[in-house]
Amino acid sequence: MKADPAVQRRLLELADVDAELGRVEHRRRTMPELAEVAETEKSVQAKRDARVAGETSLADLDREVKRQEKEVDAVRAREDRDRALLADGTVGAKQLTDLEHELATLQRRQSTLEDELLELMERREAVELDVQHAGVELAKAEEALAEAGRRRDEVLADLDTTQARRDAERTTLVPSFPEPLLALYERVRKNKGIGAALLRSRRCGACRIELDRSAISRIAGAAADEVLPCEECGAIMVRTGESGL
Ligand SMILES: [Zn+2]
């Protein structure tokens, strides 16, 4: 294949553009900002779960407190009734003893229930503090996630800008190559990653293999418009004054 040496040299510009587009693509896939967002999302989810668990415990304790309070009220009402009967003075001696006995039992029961209620309320208070703490932690994690998202979006915006500029350069460059040369370049680029590179100091700029003496003398003897793919990697070796021929 033959191509004007100036056109061949322009392949280096295209290779530069493609190299940067490749870096942009690689950066998109591997940018640490993505991992950071994923990590912070996990943290937000964990903190959200913790808060939900706390809120569930709190609701359970609220129900227990209400039930306990009702029970205390019921015992008190029973005591009030017994006291009223005792004050009434109309009950017989046997009933009087029974009532006094029941009242004593009820008072003990009330005292136990009130102790339990106090304990429940202390537990509830502790859980309520946990829930508040979980809420603060969640808010912090959400803020970290928003921050990580902003950093990711900034990097993506930079990459978009670079890509758009390089895409435009590519669109301008591509029509300046003869079709068969471009097809060769694209085929090698697709298979090996680099379609053309400068031959510098006797090394292929794509695979960095140093050419042996016979290859060098063959290249040195080739016409300037001869297209020379590297025997190792297939990249078009573009010759300039730096090629060391
Ligand atoms: Zn090579």
Side-chain angles (χ1 to χ4, degrees):
M1 190 185 294
K2 289 191 180 294
D4 186 291
V7 172
Q8 288 194 45
R9 281 197 293 277
R10 209 154 52 230
L11 277 177
L12 294 177
E13 287 175 48
L14 183 60
D16 270 354
V17 168
D18 284 336
E20 183 152 23
L21 285 171
R23 284 194 293 275
V24 166
E25 199 44 49
H26 180 259
R27 181 108 169 77
R28 270 188 206 287
R29 277 182 282 110
T30 59
M31 49 193 267
E33 289 79 6
L34 291 179
E36 204 190 324
V37 167
E39 199 60 35
T40 355
E41 269 169 353
K42 257 192 240 164
S43 160
V44 165
Q45 193 52 54
K47 306 245 145 94
R48 198 169 280 150
D49 290 348
R51 195 181 61 171
V52 167
E55 282 168 344
T56 307
S57 301
L58 196 59
D60 289 348
L61 282 167
D62 278 341
R63 266 195 304 279
E64 269 188 72
V65 165
K66 276 211 182 77
R67 203 183 52 224
Q68 194 79 0
E69 281 171 344
K70 255 192 207 160
E71 212 166 325
V72 169
D73 286 347
V75 171
R76 275 202 197 116
R78 189 90 187 260
E79 286 173 46
D80 289 347
R81 192 207 62 167
D82 287 1
R83 280 200 199 89
L85 281 173
L86 285 171
D88 196 11
T90 58
V91 293
K94 167 80 171 71
Q95 207 187 346
L96 194 68
T97 315
D98 286 351
L99 274 173
E100 277 168 348
H101 183 72
E102 187 183 81
L103 200 52
T105 308
L106 286 170
Q107 275 162 352
R108 279 197 302 277
R109 174 85 184 124
Q110 185 188 338
S111 169
T112 306
L113 285 173
E114 279 172 350
D115 285 351
E116 285 170 5
L117 181 59
L118 199 64
E119 199 185 306
L120 269 177
M121 285 165 97
E122 278 167 1
R123 263 167 60 201
R124 191 200 171 281
E125 210 170 303
V127 170
E128 193 171 32
L129 279 178
D130 286 349
V131 170
Q132 274 170 16
H133 179 68
V136 171
E137 290 294 302
L138 175 60
K140 271 192 220 162
E142 280 171 341
E143 182 47 47
L145 176 58
E147 186 54 45
R150 276 193 290 276
R151 278 198 295 274
R152 175 202 55 198
D153 292 346
E154 268 173 34
V155 173
L156 283 177
D158 281 353
L159 291 176
D160 286 347
T161 306
T162 305
Q163 178 159 7
R165 195 180 66 235
R166 293 305 199 167
D167 278 343
E169 285 174 21
R170 196 171 208 284
T171 307
T172 311
L173 270 173
V174 158
S176 71
F177 299 107
E179 191 50 49
L181 182 68
L182 187 65
L184 172 63
Y185 170 89
E186 294 290 21
R187 195 169 60 244
V188 178
R189 183 170 78 94
K190 191 161 169 271
N191 293 332
K192 301 282 185 173
I194 301 177
L198 180 63
L199 175 66
R200 191 205 303 257
S201 310
R202 306 184 175 197
R203 277 178 197 277
C204 163
C207 65
R208 311 280 175 189
I209 292 284
E210 187 167 7
L211 301 167
D212 62 28
R213 200 174 298 217
S214 71
I216 287 295
S217 69
R218 186 173 53 77
I219 292 166
D225 63 352
E226 190 70 41
V227 174
L228 301 168
C230 168
E231 284 180 2
E232 206 50 50
C233 72
I236 298 164
M237 294 186 292
V238 178
R239 287 159 287 166
T240 71
E242 293 174 72
S243 297
L245 295 167

